[in-house]
Amino acid sequence: MELDLSKPLELGLVAVFGLALGAFIVMGVILNYHWTRYETSISKIERIRLIYFGVGATIVGFMTLFLIKAIR
Amino acid sequence: MIDLHEGEQIVLVKRRYWLPIAAESFTFLLIALMPWGILYGLNLLPSDIEGFVRNNMSAFYFLACAWLLVVWTSFFVAWTNYHLDVFIVTSERIIDIDQVGLFARDVAEARLENIQDVRIETIGVLASIINFGNIHIQSAGATKEFTAQHIHKPQEIRGAITKLRRAEQPPRTPSL
């Protein structure tokens, strides 16, 4: 596998990956702060975190697989 | 977590009715499915675009997943705004939290003994059938009026306040 960033499609895909992952993590930190600070039930906070980060990580996993496949 | 005083307990937590957020969630679902809609109608696109997409299916699926991640995050922002917009009745006070946006929040509270009047407003056929409405609470404190909108069974708030205030008052001794 050789990543050639001179190809516009590959460069674009890597940029999209970085932006989407960055936005997901930054928003996750902000949302987590809000849940921790303002939610009334601790068990609910844990469930919300699990759903948000669990599903998000699964989508990122698929993104990584398709990215590797696309730039091969 | 909301800071409670010593010995204070949460009696009732009320949120806006779930129907508007359910409709919003359905919209997010439709938006999330858009790339698969494009895939379904691929043969309707001009042949050169169709050919480009078919030759780069992995890139297309990657972009579809990126789209899904953005929609997932946006949905959680909307849901958090809904979920943290809350009206709380505790054993000592009422707390009205308006989550306007992720970085805009309005918190008002009044002690139970300062509550002067509680008014429930139900407007429309749907609101009457499903039993949701607005509740207005007049207070003698710094915040004169509290309004919680689109609350399911708003009479539960009034019931809780009445019960707590009765429990606070000393029993009346019959006059001779």
Side-chain angles (χ1 to χ4, degrees):
Chain A
M1 185 182 75
E2 206 171 293
L3 176 63
D4 183 5
L5 291 180
S6 62
K7 291 179 184 172
L9 182 67
E10 288 187 8
L11 184 64
L13 293 182
V14 172
V16 167
F17 183 76
L19 283 172
L21 188 63
F24 172 68
I25 292 169
V26 169
M27 288 313 293
V29 170
I30 294 168
L31 289 170
N32 187 50
Y33 166 78
H34 279 76
W35 301 327
T36 313
R37 179 74 186 83
Y38 302 118
E39 173 58 63
T40 48
S41 154
I42 292 170
S43 62
K44 219 177 214 179
I45 296 170
E46 283 162 6
R47 243 181 302 153
I48 295 166
R49 267 191 210 132
L50 190 72
I51 293 169
Y52 176 77
F53 288 108
V55 173
T58 309
I59 298 170
V60 170
F62 277 109
M63 275 174 72
T64 312
L65 286 177
F66 286 123
L67 180 66
I68 291 168
K69 227 175 153 191
I71 61 179
R72 252 181 189 169
Chain B
M1 293 287 289
I2 288 161
D3 297 322
L4 296 175
H5 303 150
E6 206 181 314
E8 186 180 20
Q9 286 177 335
I10 292 176
V11 176
L12 189 69
V13 177
K14 280 280 184 187
R15 293 193 165 82
R16 277 182 287 145
Y17 195 55
W18 56 265
L19 202 61
I21 189 69
E24 211 173 330
S25 304
F26 184 68
T27 312
F28 274 113
L29 181 69
L30 292 181
I31 293 168
L33 293 175
M34 271 169 66
W36 283 269
I38 292 171
L39 203 60
Y40 186 73
L42 204 57
N43 52 358
L44 300 174
L45 294 172
S47 58
D48 49 341
I49 296 174
E50 186 193 346
F52 180 77
V53 174
R54 286 204 192 281
N55 289 334
N56 297 286
M57 280 313 282
S58 296
F60 180 83
Y61 283 128
F62 164 79
L63 290 173
C65 286
W67 176 256
L68 202 59
L69 190 68
V70 171
V71 175
W72 178 245
T73 306
S74 307
F75 163 72
F76 254 83
V77 171
W79 181 84
T80 301
N81 282 341
Y82 158 77
H83 188 72
L84 297 181
D85 196 326
V86 71
F87 194 92
I88 302 168
V89 181
T90 76
S91 51
E92 293 180 11
R93 57 195 164 140
I94 55 165
I95 307 166
D96 180 22
I97 303 168
D98 280 330
Q99 186 78 26
V100 186
L102 263 193
F103 300 101
R105 200 172 160 81
D106 181 28
V107 183
E109 62 175 74
R111 294 197 62 80
L112 290 175
E113 60 265 27
N114 288 337
I115 292 172
Q116 294 176 325
D117 181 47
V118 181
R119 184 167 58 87
I120 290 170
E121 184 184 46
T122 307
I123 303 167
V125 180
L126 191 68
S128 303
I129 294 168
I130 303 175
N131 192 9
F132 73 92
N134 306 331
I135 186 159
H136 304 273
I137 298 173
Q138 293 286 333
S139 156
T143 307
K144 295 290 174 204
E145 184 169 307
F146 292 77
T147 304
Q149 291 186 318
H150 310 306
I151 300 281
H152 187 223
K153 295 183 181 169
Q155 61 275 19
E156 283 182 0
I157 295 178
R158 183 165 62 187
I161 292 169
T162 309
K163 206 173 161 187
L164 288 164
R165 290 204 58 180
R166 274 198 194 135
E168 260 180 10
Q169 286 165 356
R172 286 182 188 170
T173 48
S175 54
L176 298 171

